Amino acid sequence: MASAGMVNADPKQSEERLKHESVALPKALDKGSMCDEIVGSSGALQKALRLVSKVAPTDATVLITGETGTGKELVARAIHRRSHRSSRAFVCVNCAAVPRDLIASELFGHEKGSFTGALQRRLGRFELAEGGTIFLDEVGELPLETQMALLRVLQEHEFERVGGTRSIQTNVRVVAATNRNLQAAIAAGTFRSDLFYRLNVFPIEMPPLRERQEDIPLLVDYFIDRCARDAGKNIRGINKKSLDLLQSYPWPGNIRELQNVIERSVIMCETDSFSLDKTWLA
Ligand SMILES: Nc1ncnc2c1ncn2[C@@H]1O[C@H](COP(=O)(O)OP(=O)(O)OP(=O)(O)O)[C@@H](O)[C@H]1O
Ligand SMILES: [Mg+2]
């Protein structure tokens, strides 16, 4: 997106003029602020990205926390990509999306006949991730008995398939994420504290977007560029009023919500200047 004029900071500027004025956005790509497409130059984000760079080359278990849409999965992928495991598999498991009675088989596999419906041996995600990284998303949702088996993997690097008797050795790096308060889950008796400490070897907290408003212009530029390319449109600027709206909104859905609002606006946009319908900011 090319800059289409500078902003006059005079507070007496009329509403009408504001509406049509285009604002120059900082270029996400020029600023050297992209780390595996993780856009942003705020201190809060840079602090998290420094932790990513430090921990990625090691085999340490990482626990990524943060509200929904703050980039936890993006960071997990970046850790894998910058590790010596990058040529091996990155396997994602959303622990909340798998039915509770199937999660153990999903993670560790099962032997033929181990339960009704287990018609043949099936490899679990840990075996599929061998040599690589497993990303356990929403790890706070794991049932207690599966937490026990995961603890064994982290401590002894071994597990058994469901219905199996043989221990299988594993070399998989574990990266976990949660948007739940695990301390509260421990207090409520639904999450094992020993597993928490094993996962929390290297914690990374993703800051919510409302605490890094200075990233919004960069993200807006990045998403407008991407969406405009997808939509085959040429968008050259954004008006000041729209940018102010985007920067003052608290973004409860964080970057995912920002991305969706921009995609929708780009689809609706009929000129070469990006503008926003404020009713979309709920
Ligand atoms: N800093 C960033 N730069 C560019 N895109 C980002 C950034 N952070 C997040 N995104 C994008 O926002 C969306 C949400 O990110 P992601 O899925 O990693 O969030 P999450 O924290 O895992 O959310 P949830 O808890 O809901 O699973 C993705 O499309 C991701 O690519
Ligand atoms: Mg996620």
Side-chain angles (χ1 to χ4, degrees):
M1 201 170 63
S3 61
M6 292 307 292
V7 191
N8 179 347
D10 178 2
K12 291 196 202 101
Q13 243 169 359
S14 73
E15 269 285 292
E16 205 32 44
R17 198 167 147 217
L18 268 180
K19 230 194 269 173
H20 298 295
E21 189 141 35
S22 267
V23 182
L25 287 169
K27 299 298 289 175
L29 283 166
D30 300 345
K31 282 215 134 185
S33 52
M34 295 210 8
C35 152
D36 303 310
E37 295 202 324
I38 303 177
V39 176
S41 59
S42 64
L45 183 72
Q46 292 303 320
K47 190 174 149 207
L49 295 184
R50 274 195 299 277
L51 296 176
V52 169
S53 309
K54 287 256 187 240
V55 80
T58 75
D59 265 341
T61 302
V62 180
L63 180 62
I64 308 167
T65 56
E67 291 176 15
T68 182
T70 49
K72 296 186 295 296
E73 181 167 342
L74 211 55
V75 160
R77 289 180 187 278
I79 290 172
H80 174 71
R81 260 205 305 275
R82 292 157 156 240
S83 77
H84 63 89
R85 298 170 177 272
S86 60
S87 62
R88 309 298 291 272
F90 176 83
V91 173
C92 256
V93 185
N94 184 332
C95 302
V98 182
R100 294 174 78 80
D101 50 347
L102 293 180
I103 185 77
S105 149
E106 184 72 21
L107 291 176
F108 307 116
H110 62 244
E111 297 293 347
K112 183 177 173 179
S114 55
F115 54 86
T116 321
L119 300 178
Q120 52 196 338
R121 168 188 286 173
R122 178 174 186 255
L123 298 187
R125 300 297 186 101
F126 269 95
E127 279 176 273
L128 297 175
E130 182 60 24
T133 306
I134 194 164
F135 175 48
L136 301 178
D137 202 2
E138 308 208 31
V139 72
E141 305 305 315
L142 277 184
L144 279 165
E145 63 272 19
T146 316
Q147 292 176 29
M148 180 77 195
L150 177 58
L151 183 65
R152 183 167 163 222
V153 171
L154 293 173
Q155 287 182 165
E156 287 152 47
H157 307 286
E158 60 179 35
F159 62 87
E160 274 157 31
R161 295 195 192 111
V162 174
T165 48
R166 185 168 70 85
S167 284
I168 297 171
Q169 288 294 314
T170 170
N171 167 21
V172 172
R173 190 214 200 142
V174 176
V175 177
T178 181
N179 53 30
R180 268 182 55 180
N181 180 344
L182 289 183
Q183 297 291 359
I186 291 169
T190 57
F191 203 81
R192 297 179 62 108
S193 59
D194 47 6
L195 177 59
F196 172 76
Y197 292 115
R198 275 284 166 181
L199 290 172
N200 204 38
V201 174
F202 198 94
I204 297 180
E205 193 182 341
M206 295 307 292
L209 189 53
R210 66 182 169 280
E211 286 174 15
R212 42 175 161 131
Q213 275 178 347
E214 62 267 48
D215 286 344
I216 291 177
L218 279 171
L219 284 162
V220 167
D221 178 64
Y222 174 70
F223 289 134
I224 291 179
D225 251 9
R226 245 180 41 179
C227 297
R229 211 175 319 122
D230 290 349
K233 292 188 175 178
N234 183 19
I235 295 180
R236 293 159 39 82
I238 176 172
N239 63 54
K240 165 104 173 65
K241 202 172 159 199
S242 296
L243 188 60
D244 285 348
L245 268 173
L246 291 169
Q247 279 193 286
S248 56
Y249 179 68
W251 299 108
N254 291 293
I255 296 135
R256 182 181 293 112
E257 187 185 8
L258 173 66
Q259 187 179 342
N260 292 343
V261 164
I262 291 194
E263 185 176 351
R264 194 164 155 193
S265 306
V266 167
I267 291 169
M268 295 302 290
C269 189
E270 284 173 353
T271 68
D272 65 359
S273 175
F274 178 92
S275 65
L276 187 77
D277 183 335
K278 71 173 173 218
T279 60
W280 293 350
L281 305 179

